[in-house]
């Protein structure tokens, strides 16, 4: 999660859900009033909010027409022009293991229909949401960057940390604390502290030096999505 405390997070989440309920009707409103499932809630808590820090364009329990003229509900829809994007969370438990062949085939057909209807589809495993949230956050950042051309940083970063990352991304090389200090107009000591914090968050790596790091570079396994 980002730097919000548990109480502040609950307020943010409940405000989001209340707005969803106000704008919904029929079966969707009923489903939203009953509350989200555990996996869907953990997704926004562990992945979406830390990666994006905004509820803009996100819709929970979004209703779509299916190929049999019935209705289906997506875990989340991200409705931001020019695309329609679907986010589904797949669990693994007794009810998944007992899924019939018909249900399995129906699920695949459902996804194919979404793709044919011009939906972009992302699917996350519940185990990844709980055990590998950072990897899931990176995928969300890549999704927003690749499809929407948006510069996305983890919500937990301070403005100074984001400024340093933008600088490193623009330069496309290792930078020194003195260079970061000059760019931000801060002391070299403070710049070094910020750079070290980004290393601890696995967004930067030491590029030179052992006892005292003299330069820092992007971590290719942890960099935010900037396209």
């Amino acid at each position: 999660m980002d730097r919000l405390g548990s109480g502040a997070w609950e307020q943010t989440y409940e405000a989001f859900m209340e707005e969803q309920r106000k704008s919904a009707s029929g079966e969707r409103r009923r489903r939203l009033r009953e509350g989200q499932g555990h996996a869907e809630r953990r997704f926004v808590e562990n992945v979406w909010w830390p990666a994006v820090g905004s509820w803009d364009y996100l819709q929970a329990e979004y209703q779509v027409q299916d190929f049999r003229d019935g209705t289906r509900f997506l875990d989340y829809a991200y409705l931001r022009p020019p695309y329609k994007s679907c986010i589904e969370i797949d669990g693994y438990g007794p009810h998944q293991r007992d899924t019939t062949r018909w249900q399995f085939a129906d699920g695949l057909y459902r996804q194919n229909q979404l793709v044919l209807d011009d939906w972009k589809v992302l699917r996350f495993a519940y185990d990844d949401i709980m055990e590998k949230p950072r990897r899931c956050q990176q995928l969300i950042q890549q999704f927003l960057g690749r499809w929407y051309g948006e510069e996305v940083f983890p919500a937990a970063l301070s403005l100074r940390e984001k400024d340093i990352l933008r600088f490193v991304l623009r330069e496309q090389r290792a930078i020194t604390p003195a260079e970061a200090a000059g760019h931000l107009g801060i002391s070299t000591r403070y710049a070094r502290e910020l750079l070290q914090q980004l290393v601890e968050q696995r967004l930067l790596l030491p590029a030179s030096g052992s006892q005292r790091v003299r330069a820092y570079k992007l971590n290719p396994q942890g960099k935010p999505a900037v396209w």
Side-chain angles (χ1 to χ4, degrees):
M1 195 187 301
D2 67 357
R3 289 173 182 167
L4 288 177
S6 59
W9 157 254
E10 289 291 338
Q11 292 177 5
T12 299
Y13 173 74
E14 288 304 324
F16 164 67
M17 291 302 296
E18 182 59 27
E19 286 299 316
Q20 297 289 294
R21 287 187 283 267
K22 286 180 180 178
S23 63
S25 61
E27 176 63 12
R28 180 175 180 240
R29 175 178 287 182
R30 185 193 69 78
R31 293 168 73 100
L32 288 167
R33 282 178 174 171
E34 288 183 354
Q36 288 190 295
H38 175 75
E40 290 76 16
R41 179 170 174 142
R42 291 288 83 80
F43 169 77
V44 291
E45 182 176 358
N46 292 359
V47 178
W48 183 266
W49 187 260
V52 182
S54 170
W55 302 114
D56 293 346
Y57 307 107
L58 193 68
Q59 299 285 321
E61 294 292 336
Y62 188 74
Q63 185 172 333
V64 295
Q65 294 295 121
D66 74 4
F67 59 96
R68 296 192 182 102
D69 296 324
T71 58
R72 304 228 186 189
F73 292 88
L74 310 179
D75 291 337
Y76 292 99
Y78 187 70
L79 303 179
R80 177 180 176 181
Y83 304 115
K84 302 178 296 182
S85 301
C86 162
I87 301 173
E88 295 275 70
I89 295 88
D90 298 312
Y92 184 77
H95 60 292
Q96 280 80 27
R97 290 193 295 269
D98 294 339
T99 298
T100 66
R101 289 187 175 185
W102 180 89
Q103 290 170 321
F104 176 72
D106 185 62
L108 295 179
Y109 198 82
R110 173 184 183 235
Q111 177 169 323
N112 291 339
Q113 284 295 322
L114 287 171
V115 172
L116 289 175
D117 287 339
D118 296 324
W119 283 85
K120 303 231 179 240
V121 180
L122 290 178
R123 300 182 71 172
F124 292 87
Y126 172 77
D127 287 350
D128 277 353
I129 289 170
M130 299 304 293
E131 299 171 11
K132 301 174 183 176
R134 178 60 187 144
R135 184 169 76 171
C136 297
Q137 292 165 22
Q138 290 173 336
L139 186 59
I140 289 294
Q141 292 162 0
Q142 291 166 5
F143 145 70
L144 291 174
R146 181 69 60 86
W147 291 342
Y148 296 96
E150 179 175 313
E151 180 186 83
V152 180
F153 296 104
L157 295 184
S158 69
L159 292 176
R160 296 286 195 188
E161 290 169 331
K162 291 176 182 178
D163 284 341
I164 287 181
L165 282 179
R166 291 189 185 99
F167 180 50
V168 179
L169 285 160
R170 191 184 68 217
E171 294 297 311
Q172 288 296 305
R173 61 175 176 81
I175 66 166
T176 66
E179 288 176 320
H183 176 70
L184 272 66
I186 59 177
S187 70
T188 301
R189 180 177 179 179
Y190 183 31
R192 190 181 297 278
E193 291 177 1
L194 293 172
L195 288 162
Q196 184 56 41
Q197 289 171 14
L198 291 169
V199 170
E200 292 171 359
Q201 296 180 70
R202 299 168 62 184
L203 295 170
L204 294 181
L205 292 172
S208 65
S210 54
Q211 298 299 320
R212 185 176 178 83
V213 179
R214 298 184 181 87
Y216 298 80
K217 63 182 180 181
L218 285 174
N219 179 356
Q221 302 302 318
K223 67 181 180 181
V226 178
W227 306 89

